[in-house]
């Protein structure tokens, strides 16, 4: 089990307003978070060994959140993931499920988002 104080939420969203509001929400709940506007910025700062979870926007230019998560899973990264989308469909839901990710509608319900992040912080870490 991971303590929340050592746990970090990586938030990747190209919508600056959503990114900022999500970071403020997490901060208000006492949850450490780092925000990135592109998957490339995220990859430059990502520490796979750190206790964390991913909060990824599904629809981003150049590299979608689904594609980013797929690349990470192919590399053996098992970090818990939460996907956010404003345009959900059965295909996205199925892909998220196959990649062991929760899926939230955008904008997410604050209580549901915090509940999923806290559950992720309690998941046993793969060594």
């Amino acid at each position: 089990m991971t303590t929340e104080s050592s746990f970090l939420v990586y938030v990747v969203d190209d919508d600056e307003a959503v990114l900022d509001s999500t970071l403020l929400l997490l901060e208000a709940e006492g949850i450490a978070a780092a925000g990135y506007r592109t998957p490339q910025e995220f990859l430059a700062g990502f520490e796979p060994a750190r206790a964390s979870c991913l909060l990824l926007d599904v629809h981003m230019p150049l590299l979608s959140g689904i594609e980013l998560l797929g690349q990470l899973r192919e590399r053996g990264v098992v970090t818990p993931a939460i996907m956010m989308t404003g345009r959900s469909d059965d295909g996205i839901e199925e892909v998220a499920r196959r990649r062991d990710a929760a899926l939230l509608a955008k904008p997410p319900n604050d209580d549901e988002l915090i509940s999923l992040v806290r559950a992720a912080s309690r998941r046993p870490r793969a060594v």
Side-chain angles (χ1 to χ4, degrees), residues 1-7 51-52 120-125:
M1 182 152 115
T2 303
T3 64
E4 259 185 45
S5 63
S6 65
F7 186 79
S52 62
S121 75
R122 293 187 296 271
R123 277 180 59 174
R125 291 184 17 111

Side-chain angles (χ1 to χ4, degrees), residues 106-117:
K106 208 174 179 185
N109 172 287
D110 292 353
D111 293 334
E112 186 177 11
L113 174 60
I114 295 301
S115 177
L116 286 170
V117 167

Side-chain angles (χ1 to χ4, degrees), residues 54 56-58 63-83 90-103 123:
L54 310 173
L56 308 174
D57 181 16
V58 169
L63 185 65
S64 74
I66 291 285
E67 293 166 330
L68 173 60
L69 184 58
Q71 288 181 8
L72 293 170
R73 295 297 191 239
E74 287 172 9
R75 295 178 193 164
V77 175
V78 295
T79 302
I82 303 164
M83 307 297 300
D90 290 337
I92 291 173
E93 291 174 23
E94 177 58 29
V95 171
R97 217 178 356 269
R98 280 195 316 248
R99 295 196 173 135
D100 191 28
L103 184 64
R123 277 180 59 174

Side-chain angles (χ1 to χ4, degrees), residues 22-59:
T22 302
L23 293 172
L24 285 172
L25 171 65
L26 294 168
E27 180 183 303
E29 293 292 325
I31 300 169
Y36 302 91
R37 292 199 53 203
T38 69
Q40 295 76 14
E41 288 175 6
F42 158 74
L43 289 169
F46 181 52
E47 299 175 44
R50 181 167 188 173
S52 62
C53 84
L54 310 173
L55 182 54
L56 308 174
D57 181 16
V58 169
H59 301 285

